[in-house]
Amino acid sequence: MTLNGSLLVAGTEKRGTNGEFHGIEAATGKVLPVSFGGASREDVDAAAAQAWEALASYRETDLGSRASFLETIAAEIEAIGDELIVRAMSETGLPRGRLEGERNRTTGQLRLFAKEVRAGRFQELRFDEGDPSRKPAPKLDLRLRNISVGPVAVFGASNFPLAFSVAGGDTASALAAGCPVVVKAHSAHPGTSELVGRAVQRAVAACRLHPGTFSLLFDTGFEVGQQLVADHRIRAVGFTGSRRGGTALMDIASKRRQPIPVYAEMSSINPVILFPNALTRNVDGIASAFVSSLILGAGQFCTNPGLLLAVDGEALDAFIARTTELLPDVAPQAMLTPSIARNFCEGVARLRVHPEVRAIASGKPGSEFEGTAALFETTAEALLAHEELQNEVFGAAGIIVRCRDLAELEAVINELEGQLTVALIIDNDDEADARRFIPKLEMLAGRLLVNGFGTGVEVSPAMVHGGPYPATADGRSTSVGTLAIYRFLRPVCYQDFPAGILPPALRDQNL
Amino acid sequence: MTLNGSLLVAGTEKRGTNGEFHGIEAATGKVLPVSFGGASREDVDAAAAQAWEALASYRETDLGSRASFLETIAAEIEAIGDELIVRAMSETGLPRGRLEGERNRTTGQLRLFAKEVRAGRFQELRFDEGDPSRKPAPKLDLRLRNISVGPVAVFGASNFPLAFSVAGGDTASALAAGCPVVVKAHSAHPGTSELVGRAVQRAVAACRLHPGTFSLLFDTGFEVGQQLVADHRIRAVGFTGSRRGGTALMDIASKRRQPIPVYAEMSSINPVILFPNALTRNVDGIASAFVSSLILGAGQFCTNPGLLLAVDGEALDAFIARTTELLPDVAPQAMLTPSIARNFCEGVARLRVHPEVRAIASGKPGSEFEGTAALFETTAEALLAHEELQNEVFGAAGIIVRCRDLAELEAVINELEGQLTVALIIDNDDEADARRFIPKLEMLAGRLLVNGFGTGVEVSPAMVHGGPYPATADGRSTSVGTLAIYRFLRPVCYQDFPAGILPPALRDQNL
């Protein structure tokens, strides 16, 4: 098709001249066709300048036009056809079914935000009628609406090449909020990024929007992203990736002349709490559901269950025994990139030699590009003494923590860092204990779930994909679901404005 | 009454042993009766620990009880009677009428938040009904509510000893959100703080809440505040004060193991834009309204108009001439503290000797504890070349900027830092020009107002008292009005919860 490795800067395409890189076939490490050129400082500057220029008109598009734009992006992504799936499969190693599902999620998400835009509630219109006769001071006429925070820098995620990348959740919610977007493509799937970027670019043109509404940049290192976050015209950041990457961006953002919010989703081990009655009554069922969740997508989900807490005893022994039966049958799976595979392998190796950790079971071995599922166990005492055991090992690795009793399990919970999800596996008879834990868990995570696992994140109004630091940079937000739009809005109050200069949404007819 | 200089830690009173200080009569610099003891590290730790302990029960108070608590605080403040006004007058130098009005605002604000709590909308309840039969994956039952972020540290402001201090806007909105509060009293009005703190403490007891719901600490320096913001149990900060103070707290908060949001309202010069037609037609009216706003409360408002932009010409000459007639009649006014008076005096002196600034007029001279109003003029060129001319001089000082034309005025706007307010003084014939400016002004400030000045901040649903950095630390928020409650909330999603452990607000009857 039109894949040629170009930067897409505000309606133009342009060969990047700041270094060159290729897409890599995840399953084999082989170089894929088409080379990509990195963006220069001038390219980044141009993208930010164009985004700023687009802001004035884009943030005041009427709701219907903005919604149509989001729907046009969805249609343009669908129109790419199978080329998108095939390229994404080779770049990420993810199977066809997963990527077709992810494409549905991506277009569904764009259409959901289109509906949200049409409904207009995100504007949060408020009207305080004036009263000139009020004593001692007249009451002012005040009207409030939310406006776009300004251009947003979005960093594509490696693990969702469609749903959390160029036209993923961050981009969809930022565009819905009226923010032009500059995407820094993830180098793990540059071809997929370019294909989707061209679809967005076509949608911008078809909807006759300012071309600066969208740009896509490639980077051979970190400079493009750093420059973007430091640029004074960028007013918020959406990021999904590592803790090191996220905190580096937070640092840049906080040192700007005008600091800006960074919505970074960074790391989470998503504790699963096995309550005693549930465990006793359904060892096998829970064990296989847990293993399925652990290995789903080679464990490359932000919500992958990396820590399982349970009370020691026969039932837990049986549970562990069952996992040792299941895991050896698990086939190795290609990981997203050779370096993710290497990091996973090193993370597992570190656990393997940790004096307080015992290896329980492993999946089948694979190539250097594949991940082999691995399960470990340790004690609550060890977990409390060794902070590093809370570090996420990105991939299908989990640690089962033996707790003496529920009190010790609670002590572990008290020491956990912020999480995206916590799962409670309970039976009716566990409800009283669960109820006691919930207040602590609410302070710990953005989503609590019962008798399920965090993998599988619904895109809907009531979803929260967020949580206290370090799960995300800002625990007051979600990056999935319609609530995500609020990240990119701020309120403005208009006092005693004559009708002629009031924003249309705030005129009397909407009172 | 009961004023004895004690720390109020979670239902107890205790003499602070970490240094000692007195209230100072603002108008004379004389030491007032009663000495106050500073909080030790142990006291701060105890207040934070008690706040954390109170969190679990306080954040789950039913809405009616929480609303009654806020109303009880209001009633207890009223019950202090005239002692509060008398003490505040001597500590702040503010006149009786202003302080009685401020007390009304404070109690009105508490009652407004009580209504907001009863209405319950801030919980943002969302329900996604499950559908187990959905293909390919069953749809989960998701329910969302906002919960308290946790204990909040509130820093009292010097310039609103009631409405932005111990039981002011930050405390009221944090308590409304379900957050226990630890207040660091402003040393400019310790007696006022203790009186109000005791009123809150009585309300906590009367409502049978956990005593840790509220504590009040005194500080002889900065250690108490720094320790509070660094404490892991404190989860958000409300602050009104200087830019140096605010950015110091932001810095501490961002370096914590778990960074937390700081809502600091810091500095704003609240530009006023005089449009040509309005100015030509009403020189005298605008000049006297401007001078009134400039000198109100000795200029000690965050929304004081410190910068006036206008196009050069006869009308502006006439305007300036009129201010030179008005200002010399302005009596000096006691400032809030001797050091604020000194800083104001120094700020004015710096402008007086600035090579690009011309002194236009001054009010009547006063004592070393009083502020003398001062007006200056400069050119757009000079303002653009000298960043320091944008620095806030806290008090009744303003700079009039002569712009060659509206294009140069626009160039000045492009270089301004974030503001709380921007005022547009317009006539019908200025609307077309004003309309062109508004998109830039929306990006610059939290509140835009027409034919008025920013002083006079209504406490209501549509108010925004906030704005991009450095006006506040977080331009997505307001510290005045009902929207302020959202600063202290975060969303939590509950997936597939059985009714028995769902928070009551999320049970089926509220579907």
Side-chain angles (χ1 to χ4, degrees):
Chain A
M1 202 185 176
T2 46
L3 198 59
N4 65 13
S6 289
L7 310 173
L8 305 178
V9 179
T12 67
E13 63 175 277
K14 185 189 170 190
R15 178 73 199 177
T17 54
N18 186 17
E20 186 182 20
F21 71 105
H22 283 77
I24 302 291
E25 189 170 56
T28 64
K30 281 189 198 139
V31 166
L32 288 166
V34 183
S35 80
F36 295 80
S40 64
R41 291 196 69 81
E42 291 69 32
D43 296 326
V44 176
D45 186 66
Q50 288 283 313
W52 185 254
E53 211 182 286
L55 176 66
S57 59
Y58 182 65
R59 74 182 174 88
E60 295 302 333
T61 42
D62 66 278
L63 300 183
S65 309
R66 201 186 298 171
S68 299
F69 170 49
L70 295 170
E71 289 161 345
T72 306
I73 298 174
E76 289 287 352
I77 290 173
E78 285 162 350
I80 305 170
D82 207 45
E83 182 184 6
L84 181 62
I85 301 297
V86 170
R87 179 81 195 189
M89 283 168 68
S90 56
E91 287 186 334
T92 64
L94 295 171
R96 172 175 285 275
R98 150 72 194 269
L99 286 167
E100 287 177 348
E102 194 180 322
R103 179 174 56 187
N104 284 344
R105 176 173 160 178
T106 307
T107 55
Q109 191 160 259
L110 285 158
R111 291 183 174 116
L112 182 66
F113 276 110
K115 261 173 72 178
E116 195 71 9
V117 168
R118 277 205 187 85
R121 194 194 141 180
F122 70 95
Q123 301 173 97
E124 297 285 328
L125 306 182
R126 292 172 172 226
F127 300 83
D128 297 346
E129 261 185 280
D131 177 4
S133 67
R134 191 183 64 173
K135 302 286 170 213
K139 188 156 177 256
L140 308 165
D141 179 281
L142 300 176
R143 300 172 191 223
L144 178 147
R145 67 166 180 160
N146 277 338
I147 70 165
S148 155
V149 291
V152 173
V154 170
F155 289 76
S158 64
N159 63 341
F160 278 91
L162 299 171
F164 261 87
S165 190
V166 177
D170 286 339
T171 298
S173 53
L175 290 175
C179 305
V181 167
V182 181
V183 175
K184 206 289 282 172
H186 200 291
S187 56
H189 52 267
T192 308
S193 296
E194 185 185 340
L195 288 170
V196 174
R198 287 182 179 275
V200 181
Q201 207 180 39
R202 283 193 298 274
V204 170
C207 296
R208 295 199 172 75
L209 298 172
H210 189 294
T213 304
F214 176 80
S215 291
L216 173 69
L217 303 174
F218 293 107
D219 191 3
T220 55
F222 299 109
E223 301 81 11
V224 168
Q226 289 166 351
Q227 188 187 341
L228 257 186
V229 175
D231 191 286
H232 67 283
R233 291 156 300 201
I234 296 296
R235 297 300 168 88
V237 178
F239 170 91
T240 302
S242 72
R243 187 155 166 185
R244 204 172 62 178
T247 52
L249 296 184
M250 288 170 72
D251 204 42
I252 295 170
S254 73
K255 287 186 177 132
R256 289 165 49 122
R257 188 171 176 229
Q258 182 181 71
I260 54 171
V262 173
Y263 299 100
E265 196 217 296
M266 299 184 288
S267 80
S268 181
I269 51 174
N270 305 295
V272 175
I273 307 174
L274 286 188
F275 282 81
N277 291 297
L279 180 60
T280 307
R281 287 172 201 164
N282 188 15
V283 164
D284 287 6
I286 299 170
S288 50
F290 169 65
V291 169
S292 298
S293 178
L294 182 77
I295 64 170
L296 191 69
Q300 300 167 122
F301 286 106
C302 323
T303 50
N304 190 60
L307 194 74
L308 191 143
L309 309 174
V311 174
D312 207 0
E314 274 176 34
L316 183 57
D317 290 339
F319 177 88
I320 291 175
R322 183 65 190 134
T323 63
T324 62
E325 291 166 18
L326 293 167
L327 227 57
D329 288 337
V330 172
Q333 296 175 76
M335 295 197 76
L336 292 158
T337 69
S339 78
I340 286 174
R342 202 161 45 241
N343 287 341
F344 173 69
C345 189
E346 287 168 11
V348 167
R350 270 195 305 277
L351 289 175
R352 219 174 273 288
V353 299
H354 197 288
E356 300 287 353
V357 173
R358 186 174 77 84
I360 295 174
S362 291
K364 289 194 209 306
S367 77
E368 62 181 304
F369 305 111
E370 292 176 314
T372 296
L375 256 180
F376 299 90
E377 68 159 278
T378 189
T379 61
E381 224 172 16
L383 192 81
L384 290 169
H386 296 274
E387 232 180 19
E388 72 277 13
L389 294 179
Q390 280 194 51
N391 292 347
E392 182 180 14
V393 176
F394 187 70
I399 304 180
I400 297 172
V401 182
R402 286 187 193 261
C403 306
R404 268 195 315 276
D405 47 30
L406 283 174
E408 196 182 34
L409 199 155
E410 198 170 342
V412 170
I413 287 172
N414 286 340
E415 293 307 313
L416 290 179
E417 296 189 301
Q419 304 290 339
L420 293 172
T421 69
V422 175
L424 298 92
I425 309 297
I426 61 173
D427 182 277
N428 287 342
D429 297 333
D430 295 311
E431 282 196 12
D433 287 324
R435 196 178 299 115
R436 206 157 41 79
F437 278 63
I438 289 170
K440 300 200 172 211
L441 302 178
E442 288 172 327
M443 296 304 291
L444 191 66
R447 179 161 57 113
L448 310 184
L449 47 122
V450 168
N451 293 337
F453 296 92
T455 43
V457 181
E458 190 77 28
V459 182
S460 68
M463 174 51 68
V464 176
H465 189 65
Y469 185 93
T472 73
D474 185 336
R476 294 160 297 172
S477 64
T478 172
S479 58
V480 176
T482 53
L483 207 55
I485 193 173
Y486 287 92
R487 297 179 298 169
F488 303 117
L489 295 166
R490 47 172 281 265
V492 175
C493 170
Y494 303 79
Q495 176 178 319
D496 287 339
F497 262 51
I501 59 171
L502 258 182
L506 290 175
R507 294 192 187 144
D508 283 352
Q509 65 265 28
N510 291 331
L511 255 176
Chain B
M1 203 183 171
T2 44
L3 198 59
N4 65 12
S6 288
L7 310 174
L8 305 178
V9 179
T12 66
E13 63 176 275
K14 186 189 169 192
R15 178 73 197 178
T17 54
N18 186 18
E20 185 181 21
F21 70 106
H22 283 77
I24 302 290
E25 189 170 54
T28 63
K30 282 189 197 139
V31 165
L32 288 166
V34 182
S35 80
F36 296 81
S40 64
R41 292 196 67 83
E42 291 69 32
D43 297 326
V44 177
D45 186 68
Q50 288 284 313
W52 185 256
E53 210 181 287
L55 175 66
S57 60
Y58 182 65
R59 73 182 174 89
E60 295 301 334
T61 43
D62 66 278
L63 300 182
S65 309
R66 202 187 298 171
S68 300
F69 170 49
L70 294 171
E71 289 161 344
T72 306
I73 297 174
E76 288 288 351
I77 290 172
E78 285 163 350
I80 304 171
D82 208 46
E83 182 182 6
L84 180 62
I85 302 297
V86 170
R87 179 81 195 189
M89 284 169 67
S90 56
E91 287 186 333
T92 65
L94 294 171
R96 172 175 285 277
R98 150 72 194 270
L99 287 167
E100 287 178 347
E102 194 180 322
R103 179 174 56 186
N104 284 345
R105 176 173 161 177
T106 307
T107 54
Q109 189 160 258
L110 286 158
R111 290 182 176 117
L112 182 66
F113 277 110
K115 259 173 73 179
E116 195 72 8
V117 167
R118 276 204 189 85
R121 195 194 140 178
F122 70 95
Q123 302 174 97
E124 296 287 327
L125 306 181
R126 291 171 173 229
F127 300 83
D128 297 346
E129 261 184 281
D131 176 6
S133 67
R134 191 183 66 173
K135 304 286 171 210
K139 188 157 178 257
L140 308 164
D141 179 281
L142 300 176
R143 301 174 189 222
L144 178 148
R145 65 166 180 160
N146 276 337
I147 70 165
S148 155
V149 291
V152 173
V154 170
F155 289 75
S158 64
N159 63 339
F160 278 92
L162 300 171
F164 261 86
S165 190
V166 177
D170 286 339
T171 298
S173 53
L175 290 175
C179 305
V181 167
V182 180
V183 175
K184 205 290 281 171
H186 199 292
S187 55
H189 52 267
T192 309
S193 296
E194 185 185 340
L195 288 171
V196 174
R198 287 182 180 274
V200 181
Q201 205 180 41
R202 283 194 297 273
V204 170
C207 296
R208 296 204 172 73
L209 297 172
H210 189 293
T213 303
F214 176 81
S215 290
L216 172 69
L217 303 175
F218 293 107
D219 190 3
T220 55
F222 299 109
E223 300 81 11
V224 168
Q226 289 167 351
Q227 187 187 341
L228 256 187
V229 175
D231 190 286
H232 68 283
R233 292 156 298 200
I234 296 295
R235 297 299 168 89
V237 178
F239 170 90
T240 302
S242 71
R243 187 154 165 187
R244 204 171 63 180
T247 52
L249 296 184
M250 287 169 73
D251 205 42
I252 295 170
S254 73
K255 288 186 177 130
R256 288 165 50 122
R257 185 168 178 232
Q258 182 181 73
I260 53 171
V262 174
Y263 298 100
E265 197 217 295
M266 298 184 288
S267 83
S268 182
I269 52 174
N270 306 295
V272 175
I273 307 175
L274 286 189
F275 282 80
N277 291 296
L279 179 59
T280 307
R281 289 175 198 160
N282 189 16
V283 164
D284 286 6
I286 299 171
S288 51
F290 169 64
V291 169
S292 298
S293 179
L294 182 77
I295 64 172
L296 191 69
Q300 300 166 123
F301 287 106
C302 324
T303 50
N304 189 60
L307 194 74
L308 190 142
L309 308 175
V311 173
D312 206 359
E314 275 176 35
L316 182 57
D317 290 339
F319 178 87
I320 290 176
R322 183 64 190 135
T323 63
T324 62
E325 292 166 19
L326 294 167
L327 228 58
D329 289 337
V330 173
Q333 296 175 74
M335 295 198 76
L336 292 158
T337 70
S339 79
I340 286 175
R342 202 161 46 241
N343 287 340
F344 174 69
C345 189
E346 287 168 10
V348 167
R350 269 195 305 276
L351 289 174
R352 219 173 272 287
V353 301
H354 197 289
E356 301 287 354
V357 173
R358 186 174 77 86
I360 296 173
S362 291
K364 290 196 210 303
S367 77
E368 61 181 305
F369 305 111
E370 292 176 314
T372 295
L375 256 180
F376 300 89
E377 67 160 278
T378 190
T379 62
E381 225 171 15
L383 191 82
L384 290 169
H386 296 275
E387 231 180 18
E388 71 277 13
L389 294 179
Q390 281 194 52
N391 291 347
E392 182 180 15
V393 176
F394 188 71
I399 305 181
I400 297 172
V401 182
R402 286 187 193 261
C403 306
R404 268 195 315 278
D405 48 28
L406 282 175
E408 196 183 34
L409 199 155
E410 199 171 340
V412 170
I413 288 171
N414 286 340
E415 293 306 313
L416 291 178
E417 295 190 302
Q419 304 290 339
L420 292 173
T421 69
V422 176
L424 299 91
I425 309 297
I426 62 173
D427 181 277
N428 286 342
D429 298 333
D430 295 311
E431 282 196 12
D433 287 324
R435 195 179 298 117
R436 208 158 39 80
F437 278 62
I438 289 169
K440 301 202 169 205
L441 302 179
E442 288 172 328
M443 296 304 292
L444 191 65
R447 179 161 57 114
L448 309 184
L449 48 121
V450 169
N451 293 337
F453 296 93
T455 43
V457 181
E458 190 77 28
V459 182
S460 68
M463 175 51 68
V464 176
H465 189 67
Y469 184 93
T472 72
D474 184 336
R476 293 161 296 171
S477 65
T478 173
S479 60
V480 176
T482 52
L483 208 53
I485 193 174
Y486 287 92
R487 298 178 296 168
F488 303 118
L489 295 166
R490 47 173 280 265
V492 175
C493 170
Y494 304 79
Q495 176 178 318
D496 288 338
F497 262 51
I501 59 171
L502 258 181
L506 290 175
R507 292 191 188 147
D508 284 351
Q509 65 265 28
N510 291 332
L511 255 178

